[in-house]
Amino acid sequence: MATEDKNRATAAAILPLVGGAANVASIAHCMTRLRLGLHDRSLVDDEALKALPAVLGVVEDDTYQIVLGPGTVARVTPEFEQLVEEAREAVPAPVAAVSAEELAAQGAAIKAQQKAKNATPFKLFLRRIANIFVPLIPALIGCGIIAGLNGLLVNLGWLPAVTPALAAMASGFMALIAVFVGYNTAKEFGGTPILGGAVAAIIVFPGVANIDAFGQTLSPGQGGVLGALGAAVLAVYVEKWCRRWVPEALDVLVTPTLTVLLSGLVTIFGLMYVAGEVSSAIGTFADWLLANGGAGAGFVLGGLFLPLVMLGLHQALIPIHTTLIEQQGYTVLLPILAMAGAGQVGAAMAVYFRLPRNESIRRTIRSALPAGLLGVGEPLIYGVSLPLGRPFITACVGGAFGGGFVGLFNQLGDKVGSTAIGPSGWALFPLVDGNHGLGTTIAIYAGGLLVGYVAGFAATYFFGFSKDLLSEFNVSQEPTPSTVAATGNTHPGSPAKAPAGV
C-alpha cells in the first residue's frame, strides 16, 4: 500500500472510533500525538482505537491524544482533517425557520445564490487569502488605535514619558506581522504553521542587511507580507514533498530542516527581492492613482465596492491594504471603500420615507440602521436594498459620490487613510490617519460620509422606485378588521402577512 493510502486508511479507521466528524471539536498534533478536542468523550471506543496497528496508545488529558509516533502523526493529521471536513460538508446544513418577513427571505435567498456562484476556484483561492489575514484584524485594530492615541499625545506634547511605550505597543505587531502571516499561511495551505512562521521570520530578521541579492543589499522587512505569504506557501510544498519521500524514522529531523533550509534560501535570494518590488509597485500605484485620478478614482472605487463584495472579489484587497499599512502606516483605499456603506445608509433612509405604509420594511430599517452607521451593512443590503433591486444600485451611486469626495482631497494633497482594516462607517473614526493634522483628516472622512448619506438618499428617493415597485411595496401591513376576525389575531404588534415580494 502506498504511503499516502496507508495514512488515509489510518485516519479513516480512527474517525468513527472517536465518535465521527460531528464529535470532533478541534484537531492538532505534536511530535508524536494526534490531539483531538471532543464534544462527547463517551462516544470514543478506547479499546478499538488501541487495537489499530498504527496506534501506539491513547492518553486522556485536556484533549484526547492518540499516540501515532514521530513522522506518522504529521502525515496522518492532514488526512484526518480532510476526512472530517468532507464528512461535515456531506451533511446537509439545517434549514433555518422561515422568517415572517418575505423580504428578508428574498434577501437570504439572494445571498445563498451569490455564495454558490462565488464557489469558483479563483474565488475559493481569494477566500483562502482572506482566511490568512482576517485573524490578524483584531491586532491591527488594537495597535492602530494605540498608534492614533500616541500620535495625538505627541502632537499635543502630553505624557512624554508614556508615548515611547505606546509607540512600542503600536509598532511591535507591525514589525513582526510577516511572521504571523507565514504562520497562518502554512496553516491554511495544510502545512505545519510554525514552519511557515519560521521561514517568514527570515524576512524581518535584522541580519539580512548583511546579504546581497541581485546586486542589492537586502533590508529587513523587504517584501513584507507578500514575501511572507510566498515564502510560507513554498515551505508548505517543500514540507509535503519531504513527507512523501523522507523515511518516517528520519522525518522528525530531516523534514523541518529541509523545509526551512530550501524555502529560506529561495526566500533570501529570490522572494524578498521580487516581493519587495511588487510591494513598492503597489504603494506607488495607489499614490499615483489618487494623486492623478483623485475624484474619478474615488468615484469608481466607492461605487463598485458593494458589487465587488457581492462577487467575493473584495478579498483580493486585503493583502493590498496590509501592504500599504506596512509601508506607509495606513491604507488610503479603505476610507474611500467605506463610502459604499454610507451610500447604503442613505439609500435605506430614503426607502424608509418612500414606503410610509410598509411598516414591515420600516421596522427592518430601524433595527438595521445603527449597525449600518457603524459600518455593518449586511442587514441593510440583504434585508432591504438588494431584494428591492433599484435601491441597491442607487446605494452604489451614493458610495460613488462619497468616494469621489475623499478621492478629491487625496488629489489635492490631503491624504486620508486607515491604520487598520476591518471597521468602517463611524467605527473607522478612531483609526483614520493622514499626512496632515488629525482634525483635517477626520473632517474629510466625516465629509465623505455625509456626501455618501446625502447622495444615496437623493438617488434612491428620486430614482430608486418605479411606479410598479411603489404600488407593490407601499402597502399597509396593519391587519384589517376582516383579517382579525378571520385569524383571531388582536395583538397590536403582530402584523398581518406581508404582501408578495415583501
Side-chain angles (χ1 to χ4, degrees), residues 400-412:
F401 276 96
F405 179 89
V406 178
L408 175 62
F409 277 91
N410 272 274
Q411 188 173 10
L412 296 175

Side-chain angles (χ1 to χ4, degrees), residues 365-386:
I365 293 171
R366 284 197 300 268
S367 62
L369 199 57
L373 290 169
L374 292 173
V376 183
E378 191 173 69
L380 289 176
I381 294 173
Y382 291 106
V384 181
S385 66
L386 192 58

